Amino acid sequence: MAGGQRQRRRRAGGRVLLPALLLGLCWRAAAERLRYTIPEELGRGSLVGPLARDLGLSPADLPARKLRLASAANRQLQYFTVSGESGNLYVSERLDREEMCGEAASCSVSFEALVQNPLNVFHVEVAIQDINDNSPRFLRDNFYLEINELTSPGARFAVGLAEDADVGSNSLQGYELEANGYFTVEVKESPDGSKFAELVLRRALDREREPSLRLVLTALDGGDPPRSGTAQLCINVTDANDNAPVFAQDRYRATLREDTPPGSIVLNVSASDADAGTNALITYGFGETPSKLLQKFVMDAESGLITLQEALDFEDMRSFSLTVEARDRGGLLAHCKVEVEVLDVNDNAPEITMLSVSSPVPEDVPAGTVVALLNVNDRDSGVNGEVSCELSGEAPLSLVKSSGGSYKVVTASALDREQAAEHRVTVVARDQGRPSLSSSTALVLEVSDVNDNAPVFEEAAYSAYVAENNAAGAPILRVLARDPDAGTNGRVSYWLAGGSADVAAYVSVEARSGALYAQRSFDYEQCREFAVVVRAQDGGEPARSSTATVRVFVLDRNDNAPRVLWPAPEAGGRVPGSAPALEPFEVVPRSAESGYLVAKVVAVDADAGRNAWLSYELVQAAEPALFRVGLHSGEVRTARAVSERDAAKQRLVAVVKDHGQPALSATATLHVVLAESLQEALPELSERAAGAESAAELQFYLLRYSVSEELPKGSFVGDVAKDLGLQLPALRDRGVRVVSESRTQYFALLGKTGHLVTAERIDREQLCRLVEKCVLRCEVLVEGEMNIYGIEVEIVDINDNVPSFRQAEKELRISETSAPGSRFPLAEAHDPDSGPNSVQSYELSGDEHFSLAVQTGPGGDQRPELVLAKALDREEAAFHELVLRASDGGEPARTGTARIRVAVLDANDNAPVFSQAEYTVRVPEDVPVGSTLVIVTATDADEGLNGHVEYSFHKISGRAPDIIKLDSETGEIFLKECLDFEEFSSLDLEVQARDGGDLSNMAKVTITVTDVNDNAPEISVRSSLSEISEDSPAGAVVALLHVQDRDSGPNGEVRCSISEKIPFRLEKSFENYYRVVTSRELDREQVSEYNVTVRATDGGSPALWSSAVLWLRVLDVNDNAPVFAEARYSARVPENNAAGALVLRVRAWDADWGQNARVRYRLGEGRVRGAPLTSYVSVEAETGALYALRSFDYEEVREVGLWVRAEDGGAPALSSNVSVRLVIVDENDNAPQVLYPPAAPLAAGAGWAGVELAPRSAEPGALVAKVVAVDADAGQNAWLSYELAKATEPGLFRVGLHSGEVRTARFPLARDAARQSLVVVVKDHGRPALSATATLTVVLAESVAELLAELGSAASAAAPGEPAGSLTRWLVLAVAAVSCLFLAFLLLLLALRLRRWRRSQLLAAGSGALRGVPASHFVGIDGVRAFLHSYSHEVSLTADSRKSQLRFSGASCCDTLPARPPPDEPAPLLGEDPAAPPVSPNDRPFSVTLSSTASLPFPRRVLLRSA
């Protein structure tokens, strides 16, 4: 019931306050101007502010109120529009502050917001905040200044003014000047506030060092990031005559060949004067220089050209030092040194002096033995004087360099006299000049012999063939042992050292010649071979020897005639004068057929081989056709059948011949009787014997012999007597003699021996010059027998003639172009001997270029041919001496020689040869026209027309033909036009030398032009970046530059540099390429763009330079998180704010650029009193404006803490957080609430809700009652004051202004009504103040009985139909209930105190952390004044004994119980206390307020109220 009364009072209060609140809001809105601030350049549709909310309009009211904008100037309305749905103010057109407001310091747009129903007007002003969107700009891009170089430091010069359309801090703030060593800039401010730059000279200028300056003046504003504008300052430094001439070099050096002709240019000195105009005109001359030097050189006063006057001699003076002066028109003087170095020309050949020679040298000297000392000297110097020596010729000698120019000739290896008894070498000394000069001297070294070689036989084993029947003392063969040693060491003696048994009886050896002789005649039939060991021993000390074995083979001669065994020789004839005898005979029947074997002749030959081969021949027969004899078998057979007419007796004579040379023979006589039986044959035999003596027959025999020519007279030819079967005594008797048809009798027959011997010396070549086989014929006539025997003697050739040539010397003419393999016929050698003794072979010696080939002619003759084995070279050898040797086959062989001289005919086979393969000359580019640059020289080894050389250009390109010219005869190259190093630094030519035979050769000529420093370096940007990311690592390549200086040498050596104040450096890449790389990490937030100036300076004097500027913009990288303007934000928000109201604006700045700097805002997660934070507050993502999404109630939430996150637009995004504390500011929106006395019930008769008893004897100031009220507001809005607004007796009672105590103001009077009605007004101190009323009924009575009687009468009057006992019953029940409750309370309070004391020992540390429950959950009990004596106690209890709270009011004058926690105990900001357990309805705490008065023993009223 009590709860329902409280709700009704609230609704009644609300109806009273709402109109007043609306009226107050409307009044404030009409009186105030709404102001918004936005930056310029916002996009269309950007939010300006929640206009409707700020005007106190809810979205639901907008259709009815018809919010719109109006302005006297329609131009203002084009920028903004208001949303009809949300009531938010938006930008409708791009805002440009500079266009809208120009240069005004502040810019705003004003208009009115109109609402209807009711009609009202609101003034709205939108301030346009400037952003830095304009860069400073100079009125001109270039400013030109002329400043004299003598201007004193400190001078000031005004430069251009820059403009910036922005205002405030975004406007122009200052100037910066490019770093330099001369000027700084100071910022001055004019009276109108504009800033201008003033150039200040800090260091003296020097026009010669810096004739002009180009500086970049930068104007900067104060924006973030700052913007800038640049202008170029072109400062021209005017000249003053303050510089003396300066030579390009302090010391000039020139080199001249000593053969440089007079008139040649030495060099050109060059001095420059840094001044300009006439101050820079210079004249040249020699300073203090000896007159001897002045005779050599002359100088041109205008050009500084030094020319040679007299010829130079390196050997006389190697260098000259000249002093040269340069004087300008102002009289200033400069000096330099000119050093002329004379270059040696190789005009002196080396000189060789033989100091000592040791000759002869024993061949056994060790390697390294010094055999000669010599000295080499060359008067030239340098390379021309560097001499190298070598030995020409093949010899085991070498040169070893000693100290200075001395050399030692030493043996390189062991000497061998047997190979070379003399060494001829040529010592050649050659210098290193071009062309090289040389000299030579011959060194002859004889080698003396040492006995280091044993004799060596030509053959290890010899074979000799000796025909039998040789004469005693006949030579067998000649052994030859050679000893390479000389003199006595090489003299060889021969001895028999052994062999077959008793060999000394067979042969002997001649000690000197090694000839072996037969000691006796050999007989093949007795000894066919034997061995002889011959020792050869030299005459050295000790002697050396060697042996050789000679095998002697006895050759069979045909010295044995065949011997007939059958028929017996005696049967073949008889001795003349002896008696006839019966000869053997053979019987052949007449019936014998052809082929019938008659007999067989059997013969043998004691010789061997061919000499023993026998053949049979029938030489005589009575019937030649009847018989035949086998050629080899000797069988006599019938050749046909025997006829009747054949004689009965047949005599056959068969000749048996061997095959020797000459052939020997024997005869066999066979008698054949043709008879059928022996009886028939006998008569025939007797008849033959009778007639034998009377027959006169002539016998003829042929004997053949062979004999060597040139045998002495009386040499044995053959045993004729033996061969003819004649007895020696019969020779004389029968008159045997030799007859011949020739005039010269060459043979004779010795009567004593029967031997045929030579009667004259026989020369086969004379007798048989053209006959291969020479045979002499003679006959042996046996006069007694009338027999004649033919003899053929073959003259065997011996090697008694030497081969000879018709011409002992012959000259051949062969062209040097003849191809190897060419053949040239040679004359044949002639040898009268025949067979093996004739010419058998040819040998050629003397030169490796030729060899010998022998062709066999059709007749078997040998024809020598000269074969070209190696190509000829007339220039290497014009003649070749050869020896042709012809050898026969005799033993020993004989030879004949012919000398052949080959003259090599010249052919054009040599091209001209230049003295140098490459000619190099260096000339300055200012060498005068007509000067000789170089002379090329070529020689041709050919002769005549083939050796005549002419010169021409073979390869010449570009403008070279117009610049230089070549003399075709002398090879001189001279200048036709001026040289220009910048056009070409060198000329590469190929000069051709051609001889008369059309052969040519090339030489390369390089003419290097030396430079004068007249070109500044050139910088080419091959590749560059215009943008670079700021996170690029150190070393990132920004640009690739190519630096080139067309000059050369020091003039072309370029040094590049950049400023050290910027984060870039230069790295040399390749040759003349440079890379501009970052030297450290970039930071766009510090510098957003760079102008990198690369300066290139050459090494000339004076140095020239050039520069290139690289503009580089630094691209942003999201490397900066947004940064809030404040570390933390706090805002005070009045409660009951409109939903959507702007609470505050957080602002975060991101130092990045573009999308990376675009900041968006969002709320962090959280809860407020269990509800999501986003249901209370929202933040606009783009602007950071925080809006309240609902109306705050201070009584529910006093403070809200939240986090706002600012996140940029980078990838990945960076963010930062800031804490925002929203303090809810209390407004007076709650009227005071009266707790006591309670409101009267609405039903009839409810006026007895609160009755107070006042005795009539009460004194003034006696406490009657106390009005208890609370205010849900805080602070001043909760301060309550009490006022008695209405009373039955106004002067009887008074109310405490702040305590609400109702006391008597005077003594009650009797006339005072017993029942007093008091109306107390309770007001707070808010604006506007809110109030509530309390009605109090006071009964003036002395006792309870009177009180009850009065109440009863009052009740009867109020409800006549209700019985009076009802009230009494209820009062008794109420008193009993209050008494019980009071007793229970006392017991509970005691228990709590005991429990608290006990737990304080255990939970002392935790008690401070206990948090109370808001007092709004408590129930108040009033009226126990007697117990507490005006003290108020508030006890908070929960079911959990660990959490309890007991509060005591400190003042007895304040009886107002607060309904909310005090300010120092705020409610949780973001929700319930997480450490506190949830409170169930059963555990809800309650509050007990006891009030007592000492004059009453019991409480007069007890009010229980459940929460």
Side-chain angles (χ1 to χ4, degrees), residues 604-624:
V604 295
D605 196 313
D607 295 323
R610 188 181 184 87
N611 293 329
W613 294 354
L614 300 181
S615 59
Y616 300 87
E617 182 181 355
L618 191 62
V619 296
Q620 185 177 0
E623 294 291 339

Side-chain angles (χ1 to χ4, degrees), residues 1217-1233:
N1217 299 325
V1218 69
S1219 65
V1220 179
R1221 182 171 177 263
L1222 301 182
V1223 179
I1224 311 302
V1225 179
D1226 182 61
E1227 290 192 359
N1228 195 23
D1229 58 342
N1230 291 284
Q1233 180 182 357

Side-chain angles (χ1 to χ4, degrees), residues 34-104:
L34 292 178
R35 182 179 178 84
Y36 298 94
T37 300
I38 61 173
E40 66 172 331
E41 301 295 340
L42 284 180
R44 184 176 181 181
S46 299
L47 176 66
V48 178
L51 181 60
R53 190 186 68 183
D54 294 339
L55 295 177
L57 302 178
S58 65
D61 296 335
L62 291 179
R65 300 301 299 273
K66 297 182 180 179
L67 177 62
R68 63 185 180 87
L69 305 179
S71 175
N74 291 330
R75 181 174 174 273
Q76 307 290 342
L77 296 179
Q78 66 181 355
Y79 298 109
F80 303 97
T81 184
V82 65
S83 173
E85 297 178 359
S86 63
N88 292 334
L89 186 63
Y90 294 96
V91 177
S92 62
E93 185 176 320
R94 171 183 169 272
L95 301 176
D96 189 351
R97 195 203 66 81
E98 290 75 22
E99 180 180 351
M100 297 168 61
C101 304
E103 298 179 357

Side-chain angles (χ1 to χ4, degrees), residues 1266 1424-1425 1427-1434 1447-1455 1489-1492:
K1266 183 174 183 179
V1424 193
R1425 186 183 299 272
F1427 179 76
L1428 296 176
H1429 302 286
S1430 74
Y1431 286 97
S1432 294
H1433 305 277
E1434 182 177 352
R1447 303 192 60 184
F1448 299 91
S1449 298
S1452 62
C1453 63
C1454 183
D1455 297 325
T1489 302
L1490 302 179
S1491 179
S1492 64

Side-chain angles (χ1 to χ4, degrees), residues 99-162:
E99 180 180 351
M100 297 168 61
C101 304
E103 298 179 357
S106 62
C107 180
S108 63
V109 178
S110 299
F111 52 88
E112 288 74 38
L114 301 180
V115 294
Q116 297 180 3
N117 300 322
L119 179 63
N120 205 345
V121 178
F122 301 90
H123 296 283
V124 181
E125 181 179 354
V126 179
I128 308 302
Q129 196 176 49
D130 182 62
I131 65 172
N132 192 23
D133 59 341
N134 291 281
S135 299
R137 183 177 62 85
F138 287 91
L139 300 180
R140 287 186 297 170
D141 294 334
N142 297 282
F143 295 89
Y144 296 90
L145 295 175
E146 286 195 357
I147 304 175
N148 191 274
E149 65 178 332
L150 297 181
T151 302
S152 301
R156 295 173 177 268
F157 308 91
V159 293
L161 178 68

Side-chain angles (χ1 to χ4, degrees), residues 200-230:
V200 181
L201 180 63
R202 295 300 184 191
R203 196 179 76 180
L205 296 172
D206 188 353
R207 190 202 66 82
E208 291 69 30
R209 180 178 296 177
E210 294 274 353
S212 63
L213 296 171
R214 289 184 175 270
L215 306 177
V216 177
L217 180 63
T218 304
L220 300 172
D221 61 20
D224 186 17
R227 288 178 173 267
S228 63
T230 60

Side-chain angles (χ1 to χ4, degrees), residues 33 65 108 134 177 232 325 356 404 521 534 541 644 654 689 769 911-912 962 1004 1022 1042 1061 1148 1186 1231 1265 1310 1318:
R33 176 186 297 270
R65 300 301 299 273
S108 63
N134 291 281
L177 186 64
Q232 189 87 17
E325 295 179 347
S356 175
S521 178
V534 180
E541 192 64 41
E644 292 297 331
R769 181 178 301 273
D962 302 329
K1004 184 178 180 181
R1022 296 297 169 89
H1042 181 264
K1061 297 181 180 180
L1186 268 72
L1318 304 177

